[in-house]
Amino acid sequence: MREFWKEHSKDATVEEMMLDSRAKELTQHELPEILSLLPCLTGSRVLELGAGIGRYTGSLLTLAGHVTAVDFMESFVERNRQDNGHHSNATFLQADVTKLDMPKNSIDFIFSNWLLMYLTDEELKSFAEKMMGWLRPGGFLFFRESCNHRSGDFKRGLNPTCYRTEAQYNHLMTSMEVDVQEGGQMFGFDIVLKKKVQTYVQMKNNQNQICWLLEKVPRSPGTQNGFNSFQQFLDNQQYSNRSILRYEKMFGAGYVSTGGPSTTKEFVTC
Ligand SMILES: C[S@@+](CC[C@H](N)C(=O)[O-])C[C@H]1O[C@@H](n2cnc3c(N)ncnc32)[C@H](O)[C@@H]1O
């Protein structure tokens, strides 16, 4: 992955960040869209991972109490420092996020925009557990990834990026449980929001840019109808294949509740 980013960090430009020739135009729409999805950051301690040249760092610094921006490419960290170093509440770190360490429960909000797809499955699993440890209970994790296939039009010789499906991220993030303090209290992530990035839908007809906002919550075994989380209950019982087939028998193909095609047609045409 370092080799990949060495090849794409020669100029430290917004085009390299987005690996797209239309980056300047795209970022104008994407930035406000993504920022509008974040929770209130007033006074909060923010960790921005894979910050690149700081496309988001400047805005996060104006919203939050403190921002630590991390990236492993020296030229990107330098450009971020040049552009945003005048903020007194910024720390810039050149580090590989998989080797990063932070005190437990010390962060209110973790932000990453296109980072997890540059980690292998094994790295991602242990990294997600680390992030859970760094966040305080009730803290939030925002991440946005290219799912299924690449989004940018830049030529890539070697491309080791891992384009996971939306379902893979859902499963990985909501199924893990971590005993952060090693005292028996388990924590997990609940999905607060999951959305397609509309800028990419509208400007590139690309439905595969997905972002998630997760909250770190305590888990008590078996509290959600015998499941550890509401998501697990939905995936394994409420909307298991068997249950969906049963719903469709009652409500019609493609429907899991009352309505059916005639009602849908009426709603969308009025
Ligand atoms: C597509 S860029 C996105 C940068 C920025 N978040 C943005 O949206 O403009 C991905 C960034 O992740 C960084 N990155 C990838 N793997 C990393 C790792 N293991 N540790 C730290 N940074 C990493 C790259 O150097 C690059 O700056």
Short mmCIF file of all heavy atoms in Angstrom, two decimals, residues 196-226:
data_model
loop_
_atom_site.label_atom_id
_atom_site.label_comp_id
_atom_site.label_asym_id
_atom_site.label_seq_id
_atom_site.Cartn_x
_atom_site.Cartn_y
_atom_site.Cartn_z
N LYS A 196 -25.51 6.78 0.62
CA LYS A 196 -24.70 6.92 -0.60
C LYS A 196 -24.28 8.38 -0.71
O LYS A 196 -25.10 9.27 -0.44
CB LYS A 196 -25.53 6.58 -1.83
CG LYS A 196 -25.85 5.13 -1.94
CD LYS A 196 -26.75 4.85 -3.11
CE LYS A 196 -27.11 3.38 -3.07
NZ LYS A 196 -28.17 3.00 -3.97
N VAL A 197 -23.05 8.63 -1.13
CA VAL A 197 -22.61 10.01 -1.31
C VAL A 197 -23.29 10.56 -2.57
O VAL A 197 -23.05 10.08 -3.68
CB VAL A 197 -21.07 10.09 -1.41
CG1 VAL A 197 -20.61 11.52 -1.65
CG2 VAL A 197 -20.44 9.53 -0.13
N GLN A 198 -24.17 11.53 -2.37
CA GLN A 198 -25.01 12.04 -3.45
C GLN A 198 -24.21 12.75 -4.55
O GLN A 198 -24.59 12.73 -5.71
CB GLN A 198 -26.09 12.98 -2.89
CG GLN A 198 -27.14 12.24 -2.06
CD GLN A 198 -27.78 11.10 -2.85
OE1 GLN A 198 -28.34 11.31 -3.93
NE2 GLN A 198 -27.71 9.88 -2.31
N THR A 199 -23.09 13.38 -4.15
CA THR A 199 -22.25 14.06 -5.15
C THR A 199 -21.83 13.07 -6.23
O THR A 199 -21.86 13.38 -7.43
CB THR A 199 -21.00 14.63 -4.45
OG1 THR A 199 -21.43 15.57 -3.47
CG2 THR A 199 -20.06 15.31 -5.44
N TYR A 200 -21.47 11.86 -5.82
CA TYR A 200 -21.02 10.85 -6.78
C TYR A 200 -22.20 10.25 -7.55
O TYR A 200 -22.05 9.87 -8.71
CB TYR A 200 -20.18 9.76 -6.09
CG TYR A 200 -18.73 10.17 -6.00
CD1 TYR A 200 -18.34 11.21 -5.18
CD2 TYR A 200 -17.76 9.57 -6.79
CE1 TYR A 200 -17.02 11.63 -5.12
CE2 TYR A 200 -16.43 9.97 -6.73
CZ TYR A 200 -16.07 11.00 -5.90
OH TYR A 200 -14.76 11.41 -5.85
N VAL A 201 -23.36 10.17 -6.89
CA VAL A 201 -24.55 9.67 -7.60
C VAL A 201 -24.89 10.67 -8.71
O VAL A 201 -25.09 10.30 -9.87
CB VAL A 201 -25.74 9.51 -6.63
CG1 VAL A 201 -27.01 9.14 -7.38
CG2 VAL A 201 -25.44 8.48 -5.53
N GLN A 202 -24.89 11.96 -8.33
CA GLN A 202 -25.35 12.97 -9.29
C GLN A 202 -24.29 13.32 -10.35
O GLN A 202 -24.63 13.50 -11.52
CB GLN A 202 -25.77 14.24 -8.54
CG GLN A 202 -27.15 14.06 -7.91
CD GLN A 202 -27.38 14.97 -6.72
OE1 GLN A 202 -26.72 15.98 -6.57
NE2 GLN A 202 -28.33 14.60 -5.87
N MET A 203 -23.04 13.42 -9.94
CA MET A 203 -22.03 13.90 -10.90
C MET A 203 -21.35 12.78 -11.68
O MET A 203 -20.77 13.01 -12.74
CB MET A 203 -20.97 14.74 -10.19
CG MET A 203 -21.56 16.02 -9.61
SD MET A 203 -20.34 17.01 -8.73
CE MET A 203 -19.23 17.51 -10.01
N LYS A 204 -21.38 11.54 -11.11
CA LYS A 204 -20.66 10.46 -11.80
C LYS A 204 -21.53 9.22 -11.99
O LYS A 204 -21.02 8.17 -12.36
CB LYS A 204 -19.40 10.09 -10.99
CG LYS A 204 -18.32 11.16 -11.08
CD LYS A 204 -17.11 10.80 -10.26
CE LYS A 204 -16.22 9.77 -10.88
NZ LYS A 204 -15.27 10.32 -11.88
N ASN A 205 -22.83 9.37 -11.66
CA ASN A 205 -23.74 8.23 -11.75
C ASN A 205 -23.15 7.02 -11.03
O ASN A 205 -23.24 5.88 -11.50
CB ASN A 205 -24.02 7.91 -13.22
CG ASN A 205 -25.21 7.00 -13.36
OD1 ASN A 205 -26.03 6.91 -12.45
ND2 ASN A 205 -25.29 6.28 -14.47
N ASN A 206 -22.53 7.26 -9.89
CA ASN A 206 -21.85 6.21 -9.12
C ASN A 206 -22.58 6.00 -7.80
O ASN A 206 -22.63 6.90 -6.95
CB ASN A 206 -20.39 6.65 -8.89
CG ASN A 206 -19.60 5.62 -8.11
OD1 ASN A 206 -20.15 4.78 -7.40
ND2 ASN A 206 -18.29 5.69 -8.23
N GLN A 207 -23.14 4.82 -7.64
CA GLN A 207 -23.95 4.51 -6.44
C GLN A 207 -23.12 3.81 -5.37
O GLN A 207 -23.66 3.31 -4.39
CB GLN A 207 -25.09 3.54 -6.83
CG GLN A 207 -25.89 3.93 -8.03
CD GLN A 207 -27.18 4.65 -7.66
OE1 GLN A 207 -27.57 4.66 -6.49
NE2 GLN A 207 -27.83 5.25 -8.62
N ASN A 208 -21.81 3.72 -5.61
CA ASN A 208 -20.99 2.86 -4.75
C ASN A 208 -20.11 3.59 -3.75
O ASN A 208 -19.22 3.00 -3.16
CB ASN A 208 -20.11 1.97 -5.63
CG ASN A 208 -20.96 1.07 -6.49
OD1 ASN A 208 -21.56 0.14 -6.01
ND2 ASN A 208 -21.05 1.41 -7.77
N GLN A 209 -20.34 4.88 -3.61
CA GLN A 209 -19.63 5.64 -2.58
C GLN A 209 -20.52 5.67 -1.34
O GLN A 209 -21.54 6.34 -1.33
CB GLN A 209 -19.36 7.06 -3.08
CG GLN A 209 -18.36 7.12 -4.21
CD GLN A 209 -16.99 6.68 -3.76
OE1 GLN A 209 -16.46 7.17 -2.76
NE2 GLN A 209 -16.42 5.73 -4.46
N ILE A 210 -20.12 4.92 -0.32
CA ILE A 210 -21.02 4.77 0.84
C ILE A 210 -20.33 5.31 2.08
O ILE A 210 -19.12 5.11 2.27
CB ILE A 210 -21.37 3.28 1.09
CG1 ILE A 210 -21.68 2.54 -0.21
CG2 ILE A 210 -22.50 3.14 2.10
CD1 ILE A 210 -23.04 2.64 -0.76
N CYS A 211 -21.12 6.00 2.92
CA CYS A 211 -20.55 6.45 4.20
C CYS A 211 -21.41 5.97 5.35
O CYS A 211 -22.61 5.73 5.21
CB CYS A 211 -20.36 7.96 4.22
SG CYS A 211 -21.84 8.89 3.94
N TRP A 212 -20.74 5.81 6.49
CA TRP A 212 -21.37 5.30 7.70
C TRP A 212 -21.07 6.24 8.87
O TRP A 212 -19.96 6.77 8.96
CB TRP A 212 -20.79 3.94 8.09
CG TRP A 212 -21.20 2.75 7.32
CD1 TRP A 212 -22.11 1.80 7.70
CD2 TRP A 212 -20.68 2.29 6.06
NE1 TRP A 212 -22.19 0.80 6.75
CE2 TRP A 212 -21.34 1.08 5.72
CE3 TRP A 212 -19.74 2.79 5.16
CZ2 TRP A 212 -21.07 0.37 4.56
CZ3 TRP A 212 -19.47 2.10 3.99
CH2 TRP A 212 -20.13 0.91 3.70
N LEU A 213 -22.04 6.38 9.76
CA LEU A 213 -21.78 7.02 11.05
C LEU A 213 -22.16 5.98 12.11
O LEU A 213 -23.31 5.52 12.14
CB LEU A 213 -22.62 8.29 11.22
CG LEU A 213 -22.41 9.03 12.53
CD1 LEU A 213 -20.98 9.59 12.64
CD2 LEU A 213 -23.41 10.19 12.68
N LEU A 214 -21.18 5.60 12.92
CA LEU A 214 -21.42 4.57 13.94
C LEU A 214 -21.24 5.18 15.33
O LEU A 214 -20.45 6.10 15.51
CB LEU A 214 -20.41 3.42 13.79
CG LEU A 214 -20.26 2.76 12.43
CD1 LEU A 214 -19.25 1.63 12.50
CD2 LEU A 214 -21.59 2.23 11.92
N GLU A 215 -21.95 4.62 16.30
CA GLU A 215 -21.79 5.08 17.68
C GLU A 215 -21.29 3.93 18.55
O GLU A 215 -21.76 2.78 18.40
CB GLU A 215 -23.15 5.58 18.23
CG GLU A 215 -23.02 6.14 19.63
CD GLU A 215 -24.34 6.70 20.15
OE1 GLU A 215 -25.39 6.56 19.46
OE2 GLU A 215 -24.31 7.24 21.27
N LYS A 216 -20.34 4.23 19.41
CA LYS A 216 -19.83 3.20 20.34
C LYS A 216 -20.83 3.06 21.49
O LYS A 216 -21.06 4.02 22.24
CB LYS A 216 -18.45 3.62 20.88
CG LYS A 216 -17.93 2.69 21.96
CD LYS A 216 -16.55 3.12 22.43
CE LYS A 216 -16.14 2.41 23.69
NZ LYS A 216 -14.77 2.77 24.14
N VAL A 217 -21.40 1.88 21.64
CA VAL A 217 -22.43 1.66 22.66
C VAL A 217 -22.11 0.41 23.49
O VAL A 217 -21.47 -0.52 23.00
CB VAL A 217 -23.84 1.47 22.02
CG1 VAL A 217 -24.32 2.74 21.35
CG2 VAL A 217 -23.83 0.33 21.02
N PRO A 218 -22.56 0.39 24.77
CA PRO A 218 -22.34 -0.82 25.57
C PRO A 218 -23.20 -1.95 25.04
O PRO A 218 -24.30 -1.72 24.53
CB PRO A 218 -22.78 -0.40 26.97
CG PRO A 218 -23.52 0.87 26.82
CD PRO A 218 -23.24 1.46 25.49
N ARG A 219 -22.72 -3.16 25.15
CA ARG A 219 -23.50 -4.33 24.72
C ARG A 219 -23.76 -5.21 25.94
O ARG A 219 -22.83 -5.55 26.67
CB ARG A 219 -22.70 -5.18 23.73
CG ARG A 219 -22.50 -4.53 22.40
CD ARG A 219 -23.47 -5.12 21.40
NE ARG A 219 -23.17 -4.63 20.07
CZ ARG A 219 -23.75 -3.56 19.52
NH1 ARG A 219 -24.63 -2.88 20.19
NH2 ARG A 219 -23.44 -3.20 18.30
N SER A 220 -25.04 -5.57 26.14
CA SER A 220 -25.35 -6.54 27.18
C SER A 220 -25.80 -7.79 26.47
O SER A 220 -26.72 -7.72 25.65
CB SER A 220 -26.48 -6.04 28.08
OG SER A 220 -26.22 -4.71 28.41
N PRO A 221 -25.18 -8.93 26.74
CA PRO A 221 -25.50 -10.13 25.98
C PRO A 221 -26.99 -10.45 26.01
O PRO A 221 -27.62 -10.38 27.06
CB PRO A 221 -24.69 -11.23 26.69
CG PRO A 221 -23.71 -10.52 27.53
CD PRO A 221 -24.21 -9.15 27.79
N GLY A 222 -27.53 -10.75 24.85
CA GLY A 222 -28.89 -11.23 24.76
C GLY A 222 -29.99 -10.23 25.05
O GLY A 222 -31.10 -10.61 25.36
N THR A 223 -29.71 -8.91 24.95
CA THR A 223 -30.75 -7.94 25.30
C THR A 223 -31.73 -7.64 24.17
O THR A 223 -32.81 -7.18 24.42
CB THR A 223 -30.15 -6.60 25.78
OG1 THR A 223 -29.17 -6.23 24.81
CG2 THR A 223 -29.55 -6.71 27.15
N GLN A 224 -31.33 -7.88 22.92
CA GLN A 224 -32.21 -7.55 21.79
C GLN A 224 -32.83 -8.84 21.26
O GLN A 224 -32.28 -9.46 20.36
CB GLN A 224 -31.42 -6.88 20.66
CG GLN A 224 -30.54 -5.74 21.10
CD GLN A 224 -31.30 -4.43 21.06
OE1 GLN A 224 -32.42 -4.37 20.55
NE2 GLN A 224 -30.70 -3.40 21.58
N ASN A 225 -33.93 -9.25 21.85
CA ASN A 225 -34.59 -10.49 21.42
C ASN A 225 -33.62 -11.66 21.33
O ASN A 225 -33.66 -12.45 20.38
CB ASN A 225 -35.24 -10.29 20.04
CG ASN A 225 -36.31 -9.23 20.07
OD1 ASN A 225 -37.38 -9.45 20.62
ND2 ASN A 225 -36.01 -8.08 19.52
N GLY A 226 -32.72 -11.75 22.28
CA GLY A 226 -31.76 -12.85 22.26
C GLY A 226 -30.52 -12.57 21.45
O GLY A 226 -29.60 -13.38 21.41
#
